[in-house]
Amino acid sequence: MAQKHHAFSNRISGIPRRCADPGSFCRTKRCAPLLVLILLFSVLIILMVPSGCVFGSHTDWLNQHVTLAETIRRACLEQHTLLPGWLELGGGANGYQFSYYGYLRPDIIVGCLLPRIPMAYILITYMLAVFLASVLLCFFWLRSEGLRPLFSFIGSVLLLTAGCMFQMHRQIMFVSYMPYLLLAFLCISKKRLKWLPLCFTMIFLHSFYFSAAALAAVGWYWLRRDGKLFWKKYFLKNFLSSGILSAAISAALLLPTALVLLEHRRGGSVPSLPELFGPNPVLNNLLFNEYGMGLSLICLYAILAGLSRKAFRPDSVLFLLMGLFGIFSYIMNLTLYIRPKILMPFVPLVLLLCVRFLQSESEKTAPEKKRPWPLWPFAVMLPVVLLWFSQEEFIWGLIEFVLLLVFCLINRYGLTRRLLFPRSCSSGRRTGNLSTGSVFFRNLLHCCLCLLLLLAAPFRMCLVTAEKEDWVKASELYPGLTEADLQEAADLEGDLTDPLYRSDSLTEALDSSNELLLPWQTRSAMYSSVTNQLYSDFYYDVLMTPIQIRNRVALLPADNPFLLTQMGVRWLETTADQVPAGYDIIYRSGENVIAENPDVLPKVYFTEATLSRSIFDTLDPYDRLDALSRFTVVGDSVEETGSTDSTSDVTFSGDASAGLSAYQSFMKSWNPDLSASPLPEGLEITETPFGWQIDAEEKCTMTVNLTQPPAGQIILLDFKVDNLTSSAVVMDINNIRNKLSDRFAPYPNGNTCFHYQFTGTQDEGPDQLEITFSKGNYVISDVRWHLYDTSLLNAKSCTPLKTDTEAGGFSSPVVISGTVNAEQSGYLTTSIPVQNGLEILVDGKPAEVETVNCAFAGTHLEKGMHEIEIRFTPPGKTAGCIISAAGTAVYAAYLLFKAVKKRGV
């Protein structure tokens, strides 16, 4: 009986398997797939990134990864360490709150060696190299698994176009470990197990959040490869020991980071049973979604078809369950939340299953009982594709479904031979009777057709995903004033980096929140996934700072006079038309300016005017703003020193009700006289029993006039927002933004009460409010207005610390030092957030660190002149460095032993 045609991979040429010329032709043949992969990678990047843009996203990449890389590099150079313990972000923070964004990562180390090159360009180059290396290493790994070059090529292209690789220019830690994970797979397949600890270490250094999932993927791969031998021979001796050794080598990063995560951990929502065990019919954990595996239908086909093949069944069951149920993501996320992004380390294993299945099916011949290329999976895949009908991926998902079906039909029934050579088929000629050139031509066409059917849709789907991206223009990389501008301003106006004061930026507040342009510049803003919760609550809840984006993890500066004064923001980068009251322009560069307010509170000062926390907690939220402006809020253990009227330097303590009766607030309610301009087209405002209902067909702006604007007063406005749709609600008033996140936001901000602060000059107040409404339907209710005299912002009597720290004089572990004269007992008050590892030394002796003003470090001082030193040492850093040194020594000794043993043999 004549055999069926061979696999389409074997028909790519009519040349015998053993090459007649083992020299140049064979080498070219081996290199051809790699050259084509490099070409496809280059074409894909060119097509993905629009003209004038760089390989980076506005989402996270610009406002976290680039700026933090720059800030971490600067801290490394200034503190002469690769593990800076203190960063002047967020009022002053443990540097390990930012370690996720680059500590010990190769691009940061290279950046330290090349300080003149902007980190943005180094980061782009590194991530492109990581991307390409992942694709090429995938090819080598698949080849090491015994797959033919054609199928290894298919697997590599599927990795290149996988939705998860979209994160190479967005949340880079989701995938930056990928080449090292593939190297770990290669070490196992080639039995080069001595390099496993190094591969694991690089995974830890690139993305410790994903390291548990990556190790789980390695363990599953090893178990499926070696079966019971894995448990008997490799689990303890190689897998577990390599994991422990690599964790020890990385302990200088992992241990202090673990402690800071425990200190500032956020409580995650507990998922419901349906979320954990309810099936996910769209399979977005597995398909298309760039925040999951992001694979294409060909992988789903292989998983489903693999259920009917004994050799593939365990992998198929596991990957299908991962796609269906959230419990797997929940466990690998260490029960923090259900997010399919944690499944990304399993992408290479799914691709291995996919290409193995393709190769095994293509090699089936007629004597085998089961017909290859089963069609029943398409009955399952079609409903899954149809459920994506409302997404951008739907059309190309449907096209891929059709192309994949055609591919299976062609290879199941040998349609290519009949379509390309109908005459030879009808006359009953066998393929072997054709000339070598005809066979080569036919096989080449067949191979190209199959590759086109398999890879065209994934390639296009990758571009569809890229079209959703908000790419960064080259001109947006470093917005606002440059370092040269700030240096020129410093030369003209004197030092802009007084250690007692901070600087912030209202220009591109999100993108610049982690940026320190000048050495030793200090900021109140920060954007990190690890945030001091006390400081965050003070920033947004106590000071009523507007929440400008869909999460409240980012602490963004705003034109809030209470925030700017309390946090000692003396210098502001802003535009000429948005200079807050009390600030004077000292430098201009185009539209941007630097403004200064020398009357803000210093970062460290002594005061006798204190108010007990028990009294503070009983006050109305607006009265608390008044209290913070005139007093330092301390614990209830201070002995009463007297109580007079609230304008003097007084300590209120003892019984809360008695103290409250003596306390008088200067915050005033206000009922303004308003008149509105005609409503713009597309905007309707209707008064209802529940408030004012806003119906905006599109984003639009209206003007409200204040008939008698108060001069020299801060106008405070707040109202509740009830969203009637699932979309976000955004309202800008005089360029001050508030946002309520959409219903499905991954980190909802819960901002249902919008706060605004408007300040005029001493001679005139703001007479107009420009209100911009976002598209949507929502209700505004409980509108409240208050007034506060701007002169009271500086009513607190305080004595600034006389610093002996040079500008930018952080010398680990000293944060700031100096002397202060206490004319009577009182409190040393700082605006440095209280945190583990922070010490206050008074006259060389450790003092008790107390929480003052709800979130900051302070201590009680007796009358007299005192030497003050504030120090910070990251908890666990010393122990981590010792463990890392020991782990590195053990690994080096192990490698030396292996080398000596091999040479001796």
Side-chain angles (χ1 to χ4, degrees):
M1 182 183 292
Q3 291 187 347
K4 280 191 174 182
H5 60 278
H6 293 292
F8 68 87
S9 63
N10 296 334
R11 286 186 270 134
I12 192 169
S13 74
I15 302 172
R17 179 168 296 198
R18 184 183 296 269
C19 184
D21 179 8
S24 60
F25 180 81
C26 289
R27 285 194 296 271
T28 303
K29 188 176 179 181
R30 286 196 297 269
C31 294
L34 298 178
L35 295 175
V36 176
L37 284 173
I38 294 172
L39 177 62
L40 285 177
F41 171 81
S42 304
V43 170
L44 184 67
I45 297 301
I46 292 171
L47 294 177
M48 282 174 57
V49 183
S51 176
C53 296
V54 299
F55 188 68
S57 168
H58 276 97
T59 303
D60 286 0
W61 186 87
L62 181 61
N63 49 53
Q64 290 190 83
H65 302 301
V66 169
T67 51
L68 277 171
E70 199 77 67
T71 297
I72 291 170
R73 174 174 67 172
R74 184 181 292 279
C76 289
L77 294 174
E78 291 166 350
Q79 298 179 33
H80 308 292
T81 176
L82 293 176
L83 294 166
W86 183 258
L87 292 183
E88 285 288 1
L89 297 171
N94 186 334
Y96 285 90
Q97 288 180 232
F98 306 89
S99 63
Y100 186 40
Y101 298 92
Y103 274 29
L104 298 179
R105 209 172 59 209
D107 56 303
I108 302 292
I109 297 175
V110 171
C112 292
L113 298 174
L114 303 171
R116 297 291 182 184
I117 301 178
M119 274 305 305
Y121 302 120
I122 295 176
L123 183 59
I124 291 170
T125 303
Y126 182 69
M127 291 313 299
L128 286 172
V130 164
F131 196 172
L132 179 58
S134 300
V135 175
L136 298 181
L137 284 170
C138 183
F139 179 84
F140 288 121
W141 170 57
L142 294 176
R143 290 286 291 131
S144 74
E145 285 295 316
L147 289 156
R148 298 185 186 279
L150 180 63
F151 295 99
S152 300
F153 175 81
I154 291 172
S156 301
V157 174
L158 290 177
L159 179 66
L160 172 66
T161 57
C164 64
M165 304 304 276
F166 175 84
Q167 303 297 339
M168 285 288 179
H169 61 269
R170 187 175 271 195
Q171 288 97 344
I172 63 177
M173 291 85 63
F174 291 7
V175 286
S176 59
Y177 56 84
M178 193 63 73
Y180 308 102
L181 177 62
L182 290 164
L183 281 172
F185 291 153
L186 263 173
C187 288
I188 295 168
S189 68
K190 290 183 172 294
K191 292 296 183 273
R192 306 289 178 84
L193 302 181
K194 66 179 181 180
W195 301 113
L196 264 184
L198 183 59
C199 296
F200 288 171
T201 298
M202 295 305 292
I203 291 173
F204 281 127
L205 297 184
H206 277 78
S207 186
F208 50 79
Y209 273 137
F210 283 78
S211 59
L215 293 180
V218 171
W220 177 259
Y221 166 69
W222 210 338
L223 175 63
R224 291 287 296 135
R225 195 175 194 280
D226 292 330
K228 293 181 180 179
L229 190 62
F230 169 71
W231 298 111
K232 293 179 180 179
K233 182 178 180 180
Y234 298 117
F235 177 71
L236 290 176
K237 182 180 177 182
N238 298 107
F239 178 69
L240 190 60
S241 61
S242 295
I244 293 173
L245 183 57
S246 60
I249 295 172
S250 310
L253 170 71
L254 299 182
L255 182 58
T257 301
L259 293 177
V260 82
L261 286 172
L262 291 173
E263 179 185 357
H264 301 304
R265 63 183 180 273
R266 298 196 307 267
S269 59
V270 179
S272 62
L273 288 178
E275 288 177 306
L276 291 173
F277 300 104
N280 177 7
V282 297
L283 293 176
N284 61 355
N285 294 359
L286 184 68
L287 295 177
F288 308 147
N289 178 19
E290 62 271 22
Y291 282 89
M293 294 191 194
L295 297 171
S296 58
L297 287 178
I298 184 175
C299 296
L300 179 58
Y301 171 79
I303 290 172
L304 292 173
L307 294 172
S308 61
R309 307 287 194 264
K310 184 178 180 180
F312 300 105
R313 191 171 297 139
D315 290 312
S316 291
V317 170
L318 176 67
F319 300 144
L320 189 59
L321 290 177
M322 284 182 173
L324 282 171
F325 301 107
I327 182 65
F328 294 91
S329 300
Y330 188 61
I331 292 172
M332 281 188 284
N333 277 309
L334 303 180
T335 69
L336 290 175
Y337 40 61
I338 299 178
R339 296 284 163 74
K341 64 186 181 183
I342 201 66
L343 302 177
M344 292 177 185
F346 286 86
V347 166
L349 300 186
V350 179
L351 297 178
L352 176 62
L353 165 68
C354 177
V355 293
R356 270 182 173 166
F357 181 83
L358 293 178
Q359 179 167 297
S360 69
E361 293 301 296
S362 69
E363 292 177 346
K364 285 184 180 293
T365 55
E368 298 186 49
K369 294 181 180 180
K370 292 185 178 179
R371 187 181 288 272
W373 306 106
L375 300 180
W376 66 265
F378 290 96
V380 179
M381 293 162 57
L382 181 59
V384 172
V385 174
L386 294 178
L387 287 174
W388 284 79
F389 70 94
S390 61
Q391 304 298 320
E392 295 93 332
E393 296 88 353
F394 172 67
I395 295 298
W396 278 97
L398 197 59
I399 291 174
E400 183 182 12
F401 177 88
V402 174
L403 294 178
L404 186 57
L405 179 59
V406 172
F407 168 83
C408 290
L409 291 173
I410 285 176
N411 285 279
R412 182 183 176 95
Y413 298 109
L415 298 180
T416 309
R417 182 174 52 180
R418 298 172 186 174
L419 291 174
L420 296 178
F421 295 91
R423 185 175 304 172
S424 64
C425 292
S426 62
S427 62
R429 295 181 185 176
R430 295 178 57 187
T431 302
N433 296 329
L434 297 174
S435 66
T436 301
S438 298
V439 172
F440 176 82
F441 179 68
R442 192 202 71 177
N443 291 337
L444 180 62
L445 286 179
H446 176 81
C447 184
C448 292
L449 176 62
C450 289
L451 286 177
L452 183 65
L453 293 173
L454 285 176
L455 302 178
F459 199 88
R460 177 54 187 157
M461 187 75 76
C462 179
L463 296 178
V464 170
T465 303
E467 289 170 0
K468 299 187 294 183
E469 184 59 280
D470 184 12
W471 295 93
V472 175
K473 296 179 180 178
S475 59
E476 296 173 320
L477 273 179
Y478 294 97
L481 298 173
T482 64
E483 184 172 352
D485 289 327
L486 296 179
Q487 192 61 57
E488 181 181 348
D491 294 340
L492 293 174
E493 300 294 333
D495 190 9
L496 299 183
T497 54
D498 188 326
L500 270 183
Y501 299 95
R502 297 186 174 91
S503 57
D504 266 319
S505 176
L506 300 182
T507 303
E508 302 293 343
L510 178 61
D511 293 343
S512 64
S513 56
N514 291 318
E515 193 172 16
L516 300 179
L517 284 176
L518 282 181
W520 308 108
Q521 186 184 38
T522 64
R523 299 200 62 175
S524 69
M526 66 174 287
Y527 189 6
S528 170
S529 55
V530 185
T531 307
N532 186 320
Q533 196 59 50
L534 282 178
Y535 183 54
S536 176
D537 292 343
F538 177 82
Y539 206 91
Y540 284 126
D541 298 335
V542 178
L543 295 183
M544 302 182 184
T545 303
I547 300 177
Q548 304 174 49
I549 61 174
R550 66 177 182 175
N551 68 60
R552 53 179 287 159
V553 177
L555 305 180
L556 305 182
D559 185 1
N560 178 354
F562 298 97
L563 169 68
L564 300 177
T565 300
Q566 290 293 317
M567 294 308 300
V569 181
R570 181 168 179 170
W571 297 280
L572 267 180
E573 178 188 0
T574 182
T575 55
D577 59 343
Q578 294 185 38
V579 178
Y583 285 81
D584 297 318
I585 296 175
I586 61 173
Y587 180 79
R588 292 177 181 268
S589 177
E591 296 181 356
N592 297 320
V593 301
I594 297 176
E596 181 182 18
N597 181 0
D599 296 326
V600 297
L601 288 171
K603 183 162 48 175
V604 185
Y605 59 89
F606 171 80
T607 183
E608 304 156 11
T610 60
L611 182 70
S612 70
R613 181 65 186 264
S614 59
I615 296 176
F616 181 82
D617 289 341
T618 62
L619 299 177
D620 176 88
Y622 279 101
D623 292 335
R624 292 179 186 179
L625 292 177
D626 168 70
L628 285 169
S629 299
R630 299 188 290 125
F631 302 101
T632 289
V633 178
V634 300
D636 297 326
S637 60
V638 184
E639 296 183 2
E640 186 173 355
T641 59
S643 72
T644 61
D645 74 72
S646 58
T647 59
S648 61
D649 298 337
V650 172
T651 296
F652 291 102
S653 61
D655 181 69
S657 60
L660 185 60
S661 64
Y663 175 79
Q664 177 186 353
S665 174
F666 286 84
M667 185 69 66
K668 302 175 183 178
S669 296
W670 186 46
N671 187 21
D673 187 7
L674 304 175
S675 62
S677 62
L679 296 181
E681 185 177 350
L683 175 64
E684 292 185 9
I685 301 179
T686 308
E687 186 174 6
T688 70
F690 307 101
W692 298 90
Q693 181 168 330
I694 310 297
D695 296 301
E697 296 179 0
E698 58 184 4
K699 180 180 177 181
C700 50
T701 301
M702 66 172 293
T703 302
V704 173
N705 298 304
L706 298 175
T707 306
Q708 295 180 334
Q713 300 285 317
I714 303 171
I715 301 175
L716 298 103
L717 165 66
D718 75 89
F719 49 80
K720 294 181 179 179
V721 177
D722 182 17
N723 192 4
L724 302 180
T725 68
S726 60
S727 302
V729 176
V730 180
M731 287 186 63
D732 291 354
I733 306 181
N734 286 13
N735 296 311
I736 299 175
R737 167 165 293 197
N738 267 279
K739 182 172 187 175
L740 172 60
S741 54
D742 63 87
R743 186 174 299 172
F744 304 106
Y747 302 100
N749 61 19
N751 187 26
T752 57
C753 186
F754 286 8
H755 294 281
Y756 300 87
Q757 300 85 22
F758 314 106
T759 310
T761 64
Q762 290 298 324
D763 300 325
E764 59 181 15
D767 57 358
Q768 280 189 341
L769 301 179
E770 295 286 337
I771 307 175
T772 300
F773 299 91
S774 64
K775 179 182 178 181
N777 300 319
Y778 36 96
V779 175
I780 294 173
S781 61
D782 297 337
V783 180
R784 298 188 300 173
W785 298 82
H786 288 80
L787 292 178
Y788 194 70
D789 196 321
T790 55
S791 63
L792 294 173
L793 290 173
N794 312 114
K796 185 185 295 187
S797 174
C798 67
T799 303
L801 179 77
K802 186 178 180 181
T803 63
D804 54 26
T805 307
E806 297 178 1
F810 177 88
S811 176
S812 182
V814 178
V815 175
I816 192 170
S817 62
T819 58
V820 68
N821 183 27
E823 296 184 357
Q824 55 180 308
S825 63
Y827 261 78
L828 181 75
T829 304
T830 78
S831 55
I832 301 172
V834 66
Q835 54 200 293
N836 294 341
L838 195 67
E839 295 180 283
I840 300 178
L841 275 63
V842 178
D843 300 325
K845 298 179 181 179
E848 180 184 1
V849 178
E850 299 183 34
T851 300
V852 300
N853 290 339
C854 306
F856 303 103
T859 191
H860 185 259
L861 288 183
E862 298 294 339
K863 179 179 179 180
M865 182 71 72
H866 299 284
E867 294 282 342
I868 304 297
E869 187 174 86
I870 300 177
R871 303 162 64 93
F872 180 79
T873 304
K877 181 178 180 179
T878 301
C881 290
I882 293 173
I883 295 172
S884 286
T888 303
V890 168
Y891 185 47
Y894 167 72
L895 292 177
L896 181 62
F897 170 76
K898 296 288 285 186
V900 171
K901 184 179 179 181
K902 183 177 180 181
R903 180 169 295 183
V905 172

